Amino acid sequence: MTSYQLASVVGRRARAARLRRLLRGKLVLVAAGAVVALVVLAAVFAPLIAPYDPNAVDPMAVSQGSSAAHWLGTDDTGRDIASRLLHGARPSLLAPLVVTVGAGLVGTALAVAAAWLGGWWDRAITAVLDVVFGFPGLVLAVVGAAVFGAGLKIAVLTLTIAYLPYVARVVRGSALKERNLPYVAALRMLGLGGGRIVLRHVVPNLLPLVLVQTATAFGYTLLDVAAFSFIGLGAQPPTAEWGLMVAQGAPGILAGAPQESLYAGLAIVVFVVACSLLGAGLSQRLTGGER
Amino acid sequence: MPAPRRSAALVLATAVALTAAACTSSSTSSGSAATNPAALTAFTPTARGQLAQVTWNLPTGEPLSLDPAKAGDYSPSTVLSNLCEPLLRLKADYTYGPGLAASWKWTTPTTLVLDLRDDVRFWDGTAMTSADVVASLTRQLDPATRSVNVDALRYVSAITAGGPHQVTVAFKKPDQLFVKTLTNGFGQVSEAAYLKAAGAGYGTAKGGLMCTGPFKLASWQAGESITLTRNTAYWDRTLQPKVENLTFRFITDGSTLTSALLSGQIDGSYEINTATARALAHSSVGHLYQGDSAQTVFLTPTAPTSPLADVHLVQALQLVLDRDAVIRNVYDGAAQELKTFIPSLVWQHGPAASTYAQGYAALPAAPGVDVTKAKALVAQATTKSRSITVAMAAGDQQSLQTLTFLQAGARQIGLDVTIKQLQPTQMSGLFYDPSLRQGLDATIVQGYVEMPDPGSYVEQMTDPGSLFNWVQYRNASVSALLARARSDADPARSAAEYNQAQALFTKDLPILPIAAPDERLFLNDRLSGAPASFAYINMPWAAYLGGTGKGNG
């Protein structure tokens, strides 16, 4: 085999490997996107597709396994688990969405303000964010529940505050780099005001990073909201919410009726994994791996 | 963004669920998993041998205090009943007999004379005398003691020593209930000198105790365990403890307790809940016993402004709550349906049992589900509010299940029930602190009647100004009849007066009786002998406990 032929074979193999990697990456991304889309659609159309009222109890059908009448069985008050999972997707998805969007918006605003204004503004905002960063979300949630009472709204508020520094820290670093790029100086020389430069040029350039952050965080936030409900600080009964369902079904696990915790737990795991894969994929494509 | 650090519990539960799913059939039903209610037993089989160590669980957590004056709850009473003895001893059938007092006699309608045993010694070897009894009873008059049984002294004018082993109690008016109160924490005797020295620290981990019971307090490691050792000089030769060391743990989580019982880390526990009972029902490591109980579960309004203070709404809820379904599904059949909120064990074996039984039989039958009638009652209610916030203890799955059934039923008649889960300290605090009842309309109560007398419990909810009369219930006839029943020396006449009061308050007291749960006890196969009846709460139950010869002695 000549060196040309050898180079040609090596080149073909390398191209094939690249193609396989690309396809595999795309397949995973498509699969993750499909799962997320499916769950979002289920949440939106839950009232149309759920076979039962999620809060309708049936004393004659308590803790039943899967059947034609109840695809995923029933819980300890005879409520249909499939219907509760479908309806439960609404608060389970909406709460982390509010957290990520809220933390994304406020965190980005604070980060850009700190980076753009610099000086003591930067030091003050960073110091405040550092203080918030020092409080675990759970501590904030416990304090919030003690002051205002447990509930999903308080859980969302405390988680938004807890997630702010994560977003702001990453965005501030990029905003500082952006601020020192030549195009910003050029825009200044053209006479554009600070506000306009930030809103029309700097923020749009930071958007891919914020989007990646938000997409990746969404899954983790969902897990956190579910965890808060699991320990009684989030959604309250009879709300159908995945974390709460895991908690309510827990006593049945050792008693031979694990279906409620099992299916709610699976829904959380599958959705969080799908979100993480989607976030990682988006990160590759939008920022070239920059996180 | 880092992975969250706060979700370990959730992930763990999911993992356990997945594992459990792999090990269990996909199809379960309430019937197949049920504990299959067995006949009620008063005692587990008699123990044969000695045991060096027994580890017991307190499912309601660590006691706040072991001071007998403050013992009015599951955990402290379960421990204290083996340490400090009352003047009269409760029996497994909820009757009572001699304890530290060998006999008692009413010399006049307002004078009670107690003759004490003369062979009783405290753990430190000091002989028990009437001075110790007087000190133990009278300290509960002092508000600083914060006795939960202060009502027992309502009609007492003086408690004096009539000799080294005789105590005389003088009353302002006759009070037959006083004798029955001597069976619980109120009647438990502590050493006078020790009480004085320990002061406010008596009954705490630091201050300790000095009593006469079959076990001595060896150590109390806060947050960890309480250990008792047997009293080798115990005066009752018929009830010598067979267990050398008894350690109490404080596992409140049902799943953790189930695992601990199945693995043998915990040898036994009273108050086994339904989910744990299901998991233990077919266990090869021990036995689940069911006994008679004086426990009661009911819903009560928490303020006069509560919509449920209107008895029409309570009666309406009664008609939409399928109590058969609650007993079948929430308690797996291990509970009794009641016409009122007083369980029958408290009078069933006493001297006036037949009179009480006649009164109970005369009450209207517990109503079945009738949505139409319930709607009519809602329409008759004078209160306009249709929203009811009900408190329950967070993590109490049985209460949550019951309230979920109630919530669904209430929705059918236009009542909106919101379940508010409170942390244990808030939940126990709301019974005594009105500020903690703010924002609530009702609470589910899982309680017990401690004395072998039904009137004492009812009085606390019906007497004007009583601690638990939160709705300011006023019915002069009920109060007068209960007062007469309390003072009447003739048991049958007293029971008849109680029956008359019962016929009245059952109609107009806004309380929704739910069930009277049976006692559930789990014992590892290596031990036996403990009472299975709820009377354990004020009996020296651990003194009956011993080995079976199986497992590690």
Side-chain angles (χ1 to χ4, degrees):
Chain A
M1 189 180 283
T2 63
S3 57
Y4 170 77
Q5 284 170 319
L6 185 65
S8 172
V9 169
V10 170
R12 275 204 306 276
R13 283 182 182 169
R15 277 198 299 276
R18 268 204 308 275
L19 189 67
R20 277 200 302 275
R21 272 202 303 275
L22 194 68
L23 276 176
R24 196 161 55 228
K26 269 191 178 167
L27 273 178
V28 169
L29 195 62
V30 168
V35 168
V36 171
L38 210 65
V39 175
V40 170
L41 284 174
V44 172
F45 297 108
L48 298 177
I49 52 179
Y52 297 91
D53 173 349
N55 294 325
V57 300
D58 182 355
M60 303 311 291
V62 165
S63 299
Q64 289 194 341
S66 301
S67 66
H70 301 285
W71 312 329
L72 303 180
T74 59
D75 70 5
D76 63 4
T77 53
R79 294 178 295 196
D80 182 63
I81 291 173
S83 302
R84 289 183 66 74
L85 271 185
L86 289 167
H87 280 269
R90 296 181 146 201
S92 303
L93 264 56
L94 192 61
L97 185 70
V98 173
V99 171
T100 43
V101 170
L105 281 176
V106 181
T108 304
L110 286 173
V112 172
W116 188 260
L117 297 171
W120 75 266
W121 276 104
D122 189 16
R123 286 196 296 277
I125 292 171
T126 309
V128 170
L129 290 173
D130 283 346
V131 169
V132 177
F133 194 71
F135 286 96
L138 184 60
V139 174
L140 289 175
V142 169
V143 172
V147 177
F148 304 106
L152 205 51
K153 286 179 189 164
I154 296 302
V156 165
L157 183 69
T158 49
L159 270 177
T160 305
I161 295 169
Y163 267 97
L164 267 180
Y166 291 105
V167 179
R169 278 189 163 196
V170 176
V171 176
R172 179 179 163 273
S174 294
L176 275 175
K177 259 197 268 175
E178 203 74 21
R179 179 193 170 204
N180 295 323
L181 289 178
Y183 82 89
V184 175
L187 289 169
R188 278 186 195 276
M189 285 173 69
L190 285 172
L192 264 66
R196 197 165 168 200
I197 297 172
V198 167
L199 290 175
R200 299 280 296 272
H201 300 277
V202 175
V203 170
N205 284 339
L206 293 172
L207 263 186
L209 178 68
V210 174
L211 273 179
V212 167
Q213 284 291 316
T214 309
T216 313
F218 186 73
Y220 294 134
T221 319
L222 185 140
L223 198 57
D224 272 1
V225 171
F228 280 16
S229 296
F230 179 83
I231 59 172
L233 298 177
Q236 297 297 304
T239 312
E241 195 268 351
W242 294 347
L244 185 61
M245 287 176 72
V246 174
Q248 290 191 334
I253 295 174
L254 291 176
Q259 57 269 31
E260 188 179 11
S261 288
L262 170 68
Y263 293 125
L266 270 178
I268 293 169
V269 170
V270 168
F271 191 76
V272 170
V273 170
C275 279
S276 298
L277 292 173
L278 199 61
L282 280 175
S283 170
Q284 286 288 332
R285 278 153 184 78
L286 293 176
T287 66
E290 188 192 343
R291 296 276 307 271
Chain B
M1 194 168 287
R5 297 157 288 176
R6 298 173 284 272
S7 311
L10 181 75
V11 171
L12 182 67
T14 306
V16 173
L18 287 165
T19 314
C23 305
T24 33
S25 150
S26 64
S27 175
T28 58
S29 71
S30 56
S32 64
T35 51
N36 195 12
L40 303 182
T41 32
F43 268 98
T44 55
T46 310
R48 297 195 206 113
Q50 306 282 315
L51 284 173
Q53 171 68 42
V54 166
T55 307
W56 202 264
N57 188 55
L58 300 174
T60 51
E62 185 174 7
L64 293 173
S65 166
L66 285 179
D67 182 346
K70 298 188 182 85
D73 204 352
Y74 290 90
S75 288
S77 295
T78 305
V79 180
L80 258 175
S81 52
N82 298 293
L83 294 170
C84 298
E85 293 179 284
L87 288 159
L88 301 181
R89 194 184 271 175
L90 194 66
K91 298 177 186 173
D93 63 358
Y94 241 67
T95 58
Y96 59 97
L100 293 182
S103 63
W104 64 100
K105 189 170 63 186
W106 290 93
T107 52
T108 73
T110 55
T111 310
L112 174 71
V113 176
L114 298 159
D115 287 315
L116 309 178
R117 297 186 64 94
D118 59 6
D119 58 349
V120 178
R121 291 187 176 274
F122 289 101
W123 303 325
D124 62 0
T126 313
M128 182 197 77
T129 67
S130 50
D132 299 304
V133 176
V134 172
S136 300
L137 297 181
T138 53
R139 70 186 281 260
Q140 301 187 66
L141 271 173
D142 181 358
T145 305
R146 300 174 69 189
S147 168
V148 295
N149 294 302
V150 71
D151 186 62
L153 295 160
R154 193 197 286 194
Y155 301 122
V156 172
S157 56
I159 301 176
T160 50
H165 295 105
Q166 191 177 75
V167 173
T168 304
V169 185
F171 295 84
K172 290 174 255 184
K173 60 181 274 193
D175 184 10
Q176 293 295 317
L177 189 64
F178 184 86
V179 174
K180 295 168 186 171
T181 319
L182 296 178
T183 58
N184 66 21
F186 171 76
Q188 288 175 346
V189 178
S190 303
E191 191 184 279
Y194 195 97
L195 275 174
K196 196 174 174 186
Y202 190 67
T204 61
K206 202 176 165 193
L209 287 167
M210 187 51 66
C211 293
T212 63
F215 285 88
K216 300 189 264 189
L217 180 63
S219 68
W220 182 353
Q221 290 175 281
E224 186 73 22
S225 65
I226 293 174
T227 300
L228 317 186
T229 53
R230 75 172 144 205
N231 175 8
T232 48
Y234 185 47
W235 61 270
D236 189 345
R237 305 317 297 173
T238 63
L239 198 59
Q240 292 298 304
K242 300 172 197 71
V243 174
E244 202 174 318
N245 291 298
L246 175 61
T247 301
F248 290 96
R249 302 272 180 198
F250 321 125
I251 302 173
T252 54
D253 177 68
S255 302
T256 312
L257 176 59
T258 307
S259 305
L261 288 168
L262 286 172
S263 67
Q265 284 177 305
I266 299 283
D267 292 308
S269 177
Y270 284 107
E271 309 315 328
I272 297 292
N273 69 27
T274 302
T276 303
R278 281 180 187 162
L280 296 173
H282 308 294
S283 154
S284 58
V285 298
H287 272 87
L288 188 68
Y289 297 94
Q290 271 176 233
D292 262 327
S293 177
Q295 294 177 93
T296 173
V297 179
F298 57 89
L299 191 80
T300 179
T302 46
T305 51
S306 162
L308 288 192
D310 187 326
V311 78
H312 290 103
L313 292 189
V314 174
Q315 288 167 349
L317 284 178
Q318 213 162 353
L319 289 166
V320 291
L321 179 66
D322 185 345
R323 290 188 290 172
D324 282 338
V326 169
I327 289 172
R328 197 171 56 246
N329 295 313
V330 178
Y331 298 99
D332 264 1
Q336 317 296 321
E337 188 171 328
L338 290 179
K339 296 176 180 181
T340 173
F341 59 97
I342 301 296
S344 47
L345 178 64
V346 299
W347 49 258
Q348 215 163 31
H349 304 286
S354 60
T355 314
Y356 282 119
Q358 282 167 21
Y360 186 75
L363 292 176
V369 174
D370 188 339
V371 177
T372 314
K373 204 170 163 188
K375 281 180 179 168
L377 281 164
V378 173
Q380 287 171 36
T382 49
T383 178
K384 295 286 167 249
S385 175
R386 295 292 180 263
S387 296
I388 302 154
T389 303
V390 184
M392 58 159 279
D396 176 358
Q397 192 67 11
Q398 292 181 177
S399 291
L400 183 58
Q401 259 179 288
T402 305
L403 289 178
T404 304
F405 280 122
L406 183 77
Q407 200 171 40
R411 213 168 34 232
Q412 295 178 62
I413 54 172
L415 298 181
D416 179 24
V417 171
T418 302
I419 300 169
K420 189 162 184 180
Q421 299 199 57
L422 303 180
Q423 293 309 305
T425 46
Q426 280 179 301
M427 189 65 196
S428 54
L430 76 84
F431 288 90
Y432 304 97
D433 184 352
S435 70
L436 293 176
R437 297 197 289 272
Q438 298 274 323
L440 297 174
D441 298 307
T443 182
I444 190 164
V445 176
Q446 163 132 20
Y448 57 87
V449 183
E450 203 174 14
M451 282 173 272
D453 182 286
S456 57
Y457 204 73
V458 177
E459 253 188 347
Q460 294 182 51
M461 295 185 204
T462 56
D463 241 24
S466 273
L467 190 59
F468 303 124
N469 185 358
W470 299 329
V471 292
Q472 293 170 12
Y473 172 84
R474 296 278 185 280
N475 187 327
S477 303
V478 168
S479 296
L481 284 162
L482 289 176
R484 267 166 41 206
R486 184 171 174 163
S487 63
D488 211 318
D490 177 53
R493 215 166 43 225
S494 169
E497 282 150 355
Y498 171 79
N499 286 346
Q500 288 177 50
Q502 180 179 246
L504 296 174
F505 72 70
T506 308
K507 281 184 199 152
D508 65 358
L509 183 64
I511 280 181
L512 195 165
I514 294 170
D518 297 334
E519 179 53 43
R520 278 196 283 221
L521 158 72
F522 183 80
L523 286 181
N524 188 290
D525 273 343
R526 74 187 192 96
L527 43 124
S528 188
S533 149
F534 182 75
Y536 83 87
I537 202 85
N538 279 315
M539 283 175 73
W541 58 268
Y544 294 91
L545 207 57
T548 57
K550 294 179 191 168
N552 299 322

